[in-house]
Structures are given as structure tokens and as C-alpha cells.
Amino acid sequence: MSITSAATLATLDRTGPRRITDLAVIEGVTQPAMTVLVRVMEESGLVERRGDPSDKRVTLVCLTGAGASYVRARRRAGVEAFARLIDELTREEVNALKAALPALLHLAELEDQDREGAKQ
């Protein structure tokens, strides 16, 4: 799976159903490229298209159960990989990571704000 596909699935998991145009902006690709990507993920059973109940002219891309399972499995694998690596650090290095957590969380918040600004 491509990085953009995985990122798109993670975005849908985090934010809920989105328009293809919104996904394209968030992931930094063209609308035609996102349309192709969504079609491939739809054929794989990871996403589906649904009508927007608030605007019948709009189609939303939604994560399927299989897509949500895939995102959870990737996250779990990432956590396990980091845990194994952290186990190899010295106590001082672990303490340095702990001290950096507030700044890292702030960076994640800033990234979310940037993504939200990009979709508007």
C-alpha cells in the first residue's frame, strides 16, 4: 500500500467521511489522483462511497470495517516497533523522550490545525 493510501485511510479514521476533493487537499495530491486512489481502495474493500445525507449532490468517502481494521493493525504494528526500539535505549535516553513528549504532542496539534486549515 502506498504512503498516500495509508495516510488517506488514517485521515478517514481520524476525521470521518470526507469528500474526494477534501481528501486531495489534505493529502496534497490532485483531485484526479485521489479519485483513482479511492477507486483502488474501494475495489480492495477498504473504503466505500456514500451519499451525504445533508446534501444529496455530494458523495462522501467512508472507511469500511476492513479499512478501520487495517488502520488499527498498522498503528498497533507501529507502537510495537517503537516499544521494541525504546527498550534498547538507556534510562537517560528514555527520560529525554519523556521530557520531549509535551513538545511532540504540541507538534501533532499544530499539524492537525494545518490540515484543518488546508481543507477550508
Side-chain angles (χ1 to χ4, degrees):
M1 175 170 296
S2 73
I3 292 172
T4 305
S5 296
T8 301
L9 292 174
T11 294
L12 291 170
D13 184 60
R14 190 175 58 256
T15 67
R18 303 302 291 250
R19 294 177 179 207
I20 286 180
T21 53
D22 291 342
L23 290 170
V25 170
I26 291 167
E27 303 307 335
V29 300
T30 65
Q31 185 271 333
M34 182 55 70
T35 299
V36 170
L37 185 70
V38 166
R39 187 177 313 119
V40 169
M41 290 190 300
E42 192 174 28
E43 290 169 358
S44 298
L46 300 172
V47 300
E48 63 185 7
R49 297 178 205 223
R50 293 187 193 155
D52 185 343
S54 64
D55 185 346
K56 300 298 180 197
R57 300 167 295 168
V58 175
T59 299
L60 298 174
V61 179
C62 307
L63 205 57
T64 63
S69 293
Y70 178 82
V71 171
R72 283 191 301 273
R74 280 189 56 105
R75 284 190 182 134
R76 219 175 11 259
V79 167
E80 291 168 1
F82 269 114
R84 282 191 303 274
L85 294 171
I86 289 170
D87 285 345
E88 296 181 27
L89 298 177
T90 66
R91 179 170 299 184
E92 293 79 20
E93 290 168 328
V94 170
N95 288 336
L97 280 177
K98 287 179 184 177
L101 282 176
L104 293 171
L105 291 171
H106 188 219
L107 283 174
E109 290 169 4
L110 291 173
E111 180 186 24
D112 285 345
Q113 290 172 5
D114 282 349
R115 285 181 181 236
E116 287 299 314
K119 73 175 182 179
Q120 293 176 0

